[in-house]
Amino acid sequence: MNCWGRNCRHVLPWAVVSGVAAFALFYFCCRCYRKRNQRRISHTKQRNSPRNRSAYLGLQNQGSTCYLNSLLQCLFLAPNFTNIIFNHNSSSSRCYFTFPSQFRFGVRPGIMYELQKLFIKLQYGSTAPSTQAITVSLGISNVHQPQDVEEYFRHLVNKINEECREILQLFGLDMVHCIRCKSCEEKTILPSRILSLPLSIQQLHSRSTDAFSVKDGLDNFLKEKELTGDNKCYCDTCERKQDSSSLFYFEHLPKILVIILKRYEFYITGFRKLNDKVSIPCELTVPQRSGSEYNANECMYNLFAICHHYGGIRGGHYVAEIKSFEDDQWYQFNDAAVCKITEEENVSDTRISETAYLLMYHQQTADIAPFLEKNQLNYYLQNLINETLKLRENPIFWV
């Protein structure tokens, strides 16, 4: 025992010194590695730089996460969405400590906290941030696997809804499917809430142009259709299949209307992508009915975001075009590259595209609150901004 104790008194100080020296070496190596990598990344542009030609920052692509980058940019530039994220107090879910990013203690923060951090970097940062924390929160394990932007829009909104119920008031579209029996006039009412409205692009074409019209597609979706022959519906009152009529109508319209253009269809042995031209109006009139009232009230929407998909059924690339509420100019977001769109396209009332896939419209009657300034944010978010900007100066602790 005594011999072992004497050896410990000699060995322990050297072990402590060696541990401190190893940690210091690791710390400075990591700082040098981070700085060298930052010099190598060409897409980390300075915000508001004349060379960038844009007042906005892009997002780094982790592999094939262009679908997520395009979606997040569309949501970030929707002030009503961004203010919901910033007004949410997620400090209670932030009880964890990160030393290097490999070692985490406590409960991992939720999607709201990660969105707050990302949006703070987009609004107050100077370089294109990473979406690594968002992909982890969404359960994306393979960032090199292409995904569908509409699928992850629904996944993201549902994930946010677990922490903030207010989000459904922004995107929730209350739709009713009414099926009427032609024999007994019995009606079957099937209400549902959806986050995006799918429109087929191959049934109708505009008379004035060779492109499919979103307006015609919406009218066709809301038109009453006859169900006969093999499409007859079973009537509980008649206890047999009868000729019926099918009608969709909207009971409640969201502040932000998301439209999906159905560019994928099953053809013979598999799916294929439709590259038809689409005429996208910058102003869209959507009818709304309340209860059993047949007369519909019209609601006007303004286009503010388009997600384009370039490529085929097996893969491709997503790019977003977004109209800023700050200067009424259109910008193109291609991962970390951001540029202003030409003046000719900015003043056009209709946009023609063969690649448009997801559309976002903002309700005209809904108030568009400006982006909150730093002094308008709560104390928790101001501390988070200071912490985020401070961590940028010490990249080894960047989470």
Side-chain angles (χ1 to χ4, degrees):
M1 290 291 293
N2 292 335
C3 181
W4 183 84
R6 285 195 301 271
N7 290 336
C8 275
R9 285 195 299 270
H10 293 288
V11 173
L12 187 60
W14 287 105
V16 172
V17 172
S18 301
V20 172
F23 169 76
L25 180 62
F26 171 76
Y27 175 81
F28 287 110
C29 288
C30 287
R31 284 184 64 90
C32 294
Y33 176 78
R34 289 274 186 166
K35 290 181 179 179
R36 186 176 63 178
N37 275 3
Q38 287 178 353
R39 288 193 295 269
R40 289 179 178 177
I41 298 176
S42 60
H43 55 246
T44 54
K45 302 178 181 179
Q46 293 293 323
R47 188 173 185 179
N48 294 323
S49 170
R51 295 180 61 185
N52 193 14
R53 297 183 300 164
S54 171
Y56 300 103
L57 297 177
L59 291 170
Q60 297 180 25
N61 193 329
Q62 300 181 54
S64 295
T65 57
C66 53
Y67 63 94
L68 185 62
N69 291 348
S70 299
L71 175 61
L72 291 173
Q73 293 285 15
C74 293
L75 297 176
F76 170 69
L77 287 181
N80 287 346
F81 177 85
T82 302
N83 290 341
I84 288 177
I85 299 299
F86 280 161
N87 284 328
H88 181 75
N89 187 359
S90 58
S91 57
S92 59
S93 63
R94 194 174 156 258
C95 50
Y96 81 113
F97 170 72
T98 301
F99 179 51
S101 58
Q102 294 87 346
F103 303 102
R104 304 183 184 274
F105 303 93
V107 180
R108 181 167 184 85
I111 187 67
M112 293 294 287
Y113 173 70
E114 300 297 357
L115 285 172
Q116 286 175 345
K117 286 186 62 178
L118 179 66
F119 285 0
I120 284 173
K121 295 173 187 176
L122 286 174
Q123 189 161 348
Y124 300 100
S126 59
T127 58
S130 171
T131 58
Q132 182 178 1
I134 303 295
T135 55
V136 172
S137 296
L138 294 177
I140 302 174
S141 56
N142 185 3
V143 295
H144 299 281
Q145 177 68 36
Q147 302 290 348
D148 184 74
V149 67
E150 190 266 341
E151 176 186 350
Y152 271 85
F153 164 72
R154 289 186 282 106
H155 182 36
L156 178 61
V157 172
N158 290 328
K159 192 78 172 178
I160 295 173
N161 185 54
E162 297 175 2
E163 302 180 36
C164 179
R165 299 292 180 180
E166 189 180 354
I167 197 67
L168 289 184
Q169 300 177 9
L170 197 61
F171 296 104
L173 172 61
D174 293 335
M175 184 174 66
V176 175
H177 185 195
C178 178
I179 302 176
R180 180 175 59 87
C181 176
K182 290 294 188 66
S183 177
C184 65
E185 298 297 325
E186 183 70 20
K187 291 183 179 180
T188 301
I189 305 298
L190 304 173
S192 62
R193 169 171 283 188
I194 59 177
L195 297 175
S196 57
L197 178 63
L199 294 183
S200 176
I201 67 172
Q202 60 174 161
Q203 294 181 2
L204 291 174
H205 285 80
S206 174
R207 298 176 183 176
S208 58
T209 65
D210 195 24
F212 163 83
S213 171
V214 172
K215 180 65 171 63
D216 290 344
L218 180 61
D219 293 340
N220 183 67
F221 180 85
L222 298 175
K223 184 176 65 175
E224 187 174 15
K225 300 175 179 63
E226 301 296 327
L227 303 177
T228 59
D230 293 337
N231 296 325
K232 288 182 179 180
C233 290
Y234 183 84
C235 177
D236 293 331
T237 303
C238 300
E239 296 185 346
R240 57 178 295 183
K241 287 188 175 182
Q242 297 282 14
D243 290 343
S244 308
S245 64
S246 173
L247 175 68
F248 288 94
Y249 62 89
F250 305 134
E251 273 194 331
H252 172 74
L253 293 172
K255 294 181 180 178
I256 296 179
L257 176 64
V258 179
I259 295 178
I260 301 299
L261 302 177
K262 298 170 67 175
R263 289 194 175 274
Y264 302 96
E265 68 168 4
F266 188 81
Y267 180 74
I268 303 179
T269 59
F271 283 92
R272 68 174 182 177
K273 184 183 177 184
L274 303 175
N275 295 313
D276 298 0
K277 289 183 179 180
V278 177
S279 173
I280 306 169
C282 291
E283 286 191 358
L284 183 65
T285 303
V286 182
Q288 176 182 356
R289 291 173 53 178
S290 58
S292 59
E293 297 180 5
Y294 183 77
N295 294 329
N297 298 320
E298 293 184 344
C299 186
M300 296 295 296
Y301 280 88
N302 291 332
L303 178 71
F304 78 92
I306 305 174
C307 280
H308 297 269
H309 181 262
Y310 299 91
I313 190 69
R314 298 186 179 276
H317 183 63
Y318 283 98
V319 174
E321 291 182 359
I322 310 171
K323 184 178 182 180
S324 170
F325 289 100
E326 296 178 307
D327 58 6
D328 287 333
Q329 299 295 312
W330 282 88
Y331 293 85
Q332 184 188 77
F333 293 81
N334 185 359
D335 289 332
V338 183
C339 64
K340 184 182 292 187
I341 296 178
T342 59
E343 294 294 335
E344 292 77 7
E345 297 182 29
N346 270 312
V347 298
S348 176
D349 294 333
T350 303
R351 307 177 76 88
I352 306 296
S353 173
E354 297 179 356
T355 56
Y357 179 51
L358 182 145
L359 314 176
M360 286 190 181
Y361 283 85
H362 196 283
Q363 196 176 107
Q364 281 188 1
T365 57
D367 294 331
I368 303 177
F371 289 110
L372 295 175
E373 299 294 337
K374 184 177 179 181
N375 56 4
Q376 296 176 307
L377 301 176
N378 56 43
Y379 179 75
Y380 155 71
L381 269 183
Q382 291 188 22
N383 287 341
L384 183 59
I385 292 174
N386 295 331
E387 176 186 341
T388 303
L389 298 180
K390 185 182 298 183
L391 287 173
R392 191 180 64 192
E393 301 173 0
N394 300 285
I396 186 175
F397 296 107
W398 187 267
V399 182

